[in-house]
Amino acid sequence: MSDLQTGLEKTVTYLLPMLAGANIIYGSGMLELGMTFSYGQYVADNEIVRVLRRTLEGIPVSEDTMALDVVSKVGPGGHYLLEDHTSDRMKTAHVLPKFIDRDNRSEWVKNGSVTFIDSATKKAIDIIENHKAKPLPATVLKELRAIVEQADKDMTGHK
């Protein structure tokens, strides 16, 4: 069962290897020490990794992002919310969650009290029922076929 503990465990499990520079992370979709697999948890884990990856990118520091001209224009006591510079960067400054409801509690309850894992599970079901994979380009298929044929020859001892 996915719950707050699962979310915390998954976040820590992903974050520590990511901080160490790992580019492969084990355990997505798994529950109960890998004894159970959940497609909804897999989608939720993907969301966790997506947010962590953006977080670990950090905040770029440059003349543009420092916006000293905007700071001078706004001045003490002013605010930046109406500045184009601010609104343009708000779109990329953080990751908007796809499956986490950001409404206040009364709106969340009014809309059915849908949890993070409920939303992720709904998306997983939609993917399973509706996703249509794009065919691989012919050049890729040809290269894969050559790799498989070479592996077959290597295994059977035929060169």
Side-chain angles (χ1 to χ4, degrees), residues 1-11:
M1 177 178 147
S2 297
D3 60 6
L4 182 59
Q5 179 177 332
T6 304
L8 176 62
E9 288 176 357
K10 293 290 193 160
T11 300

Coordinates of all heavy atoms in Angstrom, one line a residue, residues 1-11:
M1 N 0.8 -1.2 0.0 CA 0.0 0.0 0.0 C 0.9 1.2 0.0 O 1.8 1.3 0.8 CB -0.9 0.0 1.2 CG -1.7 1.2 1.4 SD -2.8 1.1 2.8 CE -2.9 2.8 3.2
S2 N 0.6 2.2 -0.9 CA 1.3 3.4 -0.9 C 0.7 4.4 0.1 O -0.5 4.6 0.2 CB 1.2 4.1 -2.3 OG 1.8 3.2 -3.3
D3 N 1.6 5.1 0.9 CA 1.2 6.0 1.9 C 2.3 7.0 2.1 O 3.3 7.1 1.3 CB 0.8 5.3 3.2 CG 1.9 4.5 3.8 OD1 3.0 4.6 3.3 OD2 1.6 3.8 4.8
L4 N 2.1 7.9 3.1 CA 3.2 8.9 3.4 C 4.5 8.2 3.6 O 5.5 8.7 3.1 CB 2.7 9.7 4.6 CG 3.7 10.9 5.0 CD1 3.9 11.8 3.8 CD2 3.1 11.6 6.2
Q5 N 4.6 7.1 4.3 CA 5.8 6.4 4.6 C 6.5 6.0 3.3 O 7.7 6.2 3.1 CB 5.6 5.2 5.5 CG 6.9 4.5 5.8 CD 6.7 3.3 6.7 OE1 5.9 3.4 7.6 NE2 7.6 2.3 6.6
T6 N 5.6 5.5 2.4 CA 6.2 5.0 1.1 C 6.8 6.2 0.4 O 7.9 6.1 -0.2 CB 5.0 4.4 0.2 OG1 4.4 3.4 0.9 CG2 5.6 3.9 -1.1
G7 N 6.1 7.4 0.4 CA 6.6 8.5 -0.3 C 7.9 9.0 0.3 O 8.9 9.3 -0.5
L8 N 8.0 9.0 1.6 CA 9.3 9.4 2.2 C 10.4 8.4 1.9 O 11.5 8.8 1.5 CB 9.1 9.5 3.7 CG 10.4 9.8 4.5 CD1 11.0 11.1 4.1 CD2 10.1 9.7 6.0
E9 N 10.1 7.1 2.0 CA 11.1 6.1 1.7 C 11.6 6.2 0.3 O 12.8 6.1 0.0 CB 10.6 4.7 2.0 CG 10.4 4.4 3.5 CD 9.8 3.0 3.7 OE1 9.4 2.3 2.8 OE2 9.7 2.7 4.9
K10 N 10.7 6.4 -0.7 CA 11.0 6.5 -2.1 C 11.9 7.7 -2.3 O 12.9 7.6 -3.0 CB 9.8 6.5 -2.9 CG 9.0 5.3 -2.9 CD 9.7 4.2 -3.7 CE 8.7 3.0 -3.9 NZ 9.2 2.2 -5.0
T11 N 11.5 8.8 -1.7 CA 12.3 10.1 -1.9 C 13.7 9.9 -1.4 O 14.6 10.3 -2.1 CB 11.6 11.2 -1.2 OG1 10.2 11.4 -1.7 CG2 12.3 12.5 -1.4

